Amino acid sequence: MIKEVSSFKDILKMIDDTIALLKQQLAENLKKLEDARVRAEQVKKLRETFKNLLGEEVLVSGKEIDLKDAKILINPDPLTELKAIEEAIEKINTTILTLQNLRKSLEPWTTVEVPSRITVVVKEGIPVTILLKL
């Protein structure tokens, strides 16, 4: 995505807004993670019980379809679901840290008066290129 802004303060506001949104998503995903952990633990205990009763492991897992850049998990078991949620939370945390570090680096630039618009190239919610034309 390409955005145009009038100042570095606008870039900081854009970063702050993105961080706020990501923190909200993180809170929602942490709730989902806790639910997934409970289900995963229940399945783990159930599998152990079946193994003790039957003498062999009972695996009931869903189907995975690889789409090259994504996966479709049909009827995933709770352990697979837990892993997917943990990966999503890790990505959100990494993005928040990246944005916080970028914000800190850009703060001194807020005093710079620019004669024209600033073009910001944003990739996956993170400003990756700032075009400043003099």
Side-chain angles (χ1 to χ4, degrees):
M1 177 173 17
I2 299 174
K3 294 184 177 187
E4 285 197 5
V5 296
S6 58
S7 70
F8 281 96
K9 288 179 183 178
D10 291 342
I11 297 172
L12 291 185
K13 182 182 179 336
M14 183 174 57
I15 289 171
D16 289 341
D17 292 347
T18 303
I19 289 172
L21 178 64
L22 288 171
K23 285 183 176 181
Q24 180 183 358
Q25 290 174 352
L26 182 62
E28 292 169 7
N29 286 334
L30 287 171
K31 290 176 188 173
K32 291 177 184 177
L33 178 65
E34 188 55 38
D35 292 342
R37 279 191 177 138
V38 168
R39 286 191 308 276
E41 190 59 36
Q42 290 170 340
V43 166
K44 188 177 176 183
K45 287 179 182 177
L46 189 58
R47 284 183 180 172
E48 288 174 12
T49 301
F50 286 154
K51 184 177 180 180
N52 291 336
L53 291 173
L54 302 173
E56 63 184 61
E57 284 195 40
V58 177
L59 297 176
V60 180
S61 59
K63 174 98 171 125
E64 180 177 313
I65 301 170
D66 190 356
L67 300 176
K68 201 176 194 179
D69 296 324
K71 292 185 241 183
I72 297 175
L73 302 175
I74 300 171
N75 196 27
D77 68 12
L79 298 171
T80 304
E81 184 180 354
L82 178 64
K83 182 180 174 190
I85 294 170
E86 287 173 340
E87 289 172 358
I89 287 172
E90 184 178 320
K91 176 67 175 160
I92 292 171
N93 275 328
T94 301
T95 303
I96 289 171
L97 288 173
T98 301
L99 288 168
Q100 288 172 334
N101 290 335
L102 178 59
R103 187 187 193 297
K104 185 185 280 187
S105 297
L106 286 174
E107 280 180 3
W109 287 84
T110 59
T111 60
V112 174
E113 300 265 342
V114 293
S116 63
R117 308 271 302 158
I118 301 170
T119 303
V120 182
V121 179
V122 180
K123 183 178 178 184
E124 296 180 10
I126 301 171
V128 291
T129 305
I130 298 170
L131 303 171
L132 178 61
K133 296 179 185 177
L134 304 177

